[in-house]
Amino acid sequence: SLAAAGMDVTVVPATATAEEILRLEPDGVFLSNGPGDPAATGEYAVPAIRGVLEKRVPVFGICLGHQLLALALGAKTYKLRMGHRGANQPVKDLATGRVEITSQNHGFAVDDKSLPAGVEVTHTSLFDGSNEGIASTELPAFSVQYHPEASPGPSDSAHLFRRFADLIEREKGTTT
């Protein structure tokens, strides 16, 4: 999906530090999905994400990447009573009012009440009202809880990859 949006992709391990990531001079950083408790992964990932954000490198996170971005921005996560699993999860985009049919596989969620100033909710689950997306109003960063690359809708969420590419271009224009 990133390549289809015109991006070249370099993969780094989840344990990469901000310094290691920034040494690659990325135009943007994509925080991918992964297993487990975001607090455990956050021990090493959150400092790296914060370091990238400090340099105003655009960030787009999905699934676990969404939760890690939220932690890096100062929010909290919690374990869902019943996780979100499967390919028919309706999510509302609060900016457009559109409902996207999404694919999900997670047991944790971002706590809306813990979002700090400068971070807004962008998407909400129509099943249980839990957080499905955030965006920083101050930094070039956004994320969604679901898997836009899975295309269950079949392309309901493909626009997010274009949004990331546009964010990168906009940020490059402000730093050159």
Side-chain angles (χ1 to χ4, degrees):
S1 295
L2 293 167
M7 297 180 220
D8 294 323
V9 177
T10 301
V11 178
V12 299
T15 55
T17 65
E19 294 77 22
E20 291 168 330
I21 295 166
L22 294 169
R23 213 174 297 132
L24 297 170
E25 299 181 5
D27 292 330
V29 172
F30 179 75
L31 305 173
S32 68
N33 51 306
D37 182 346
T41 307
E43 287 185 27
Y44 54 85
V46 166
I49 296 165
R50 285 183 178 148
V52 167
L53 290 170
E54 286 172 9
K55 297 296 184 182
R56 293 197 58 86
V57 175
V59 173
F60 172 28
I62 65 169
C63 196
L64 179 62
H66 161 71
Q67 297 163 6
L68 293 173
L69 176 61
L71 292 172
L73 291 170
K76 295 179 180 167
T77 59
Y78 65 95
K79 186 160 181 54
L80 290 165
R81 193 175 127 253
M82 297 176 69
H84 296 169
R85 315 271 184 227
N88 288 310
Q89 306 283 324
V91 170
K92 185 173 185 175
D93 180 329
L94 300 179
T96 66
R98 284 184 53 209
V99 174
E100 299 175 17
I101 302 303
T102 68
S103 178
Q104 300 192 22
N105 186 23
H106 62 96
F108 291 85
V110 172
D111 181 358
D112 283 350
K113 294 179 202 83
S114 73
L115 292 174
V119 180
E120 62 186 16
V121 175
T122 60
H123 295 76
T124 302
S125 168
L126 293 181
F127 278 147
D128 63 10
S130 64
N131 181 282
E132 290 286 343
I134 61 171
S136 172
T137 59
E138 300 164 3
L139 297 167
F142 72 99
S143 59
V144 293
Q145 179 59 71
Y146 48 93
H147 292 268
E149 82 288 2
S151 302
S155 59
D156 289 13
S157 303
H159 66 94
L160 294 170
F161 293 97
R162 183 75 248 150
R163 178 179 166 193
F164 184 45
D166 292 345
L167 180 63
I168 289 170
E169 288 306 311
R170 242 187 344 272
E171 197 61 27
K172 282 167 79 175
T174 62
T175 58
T176 54

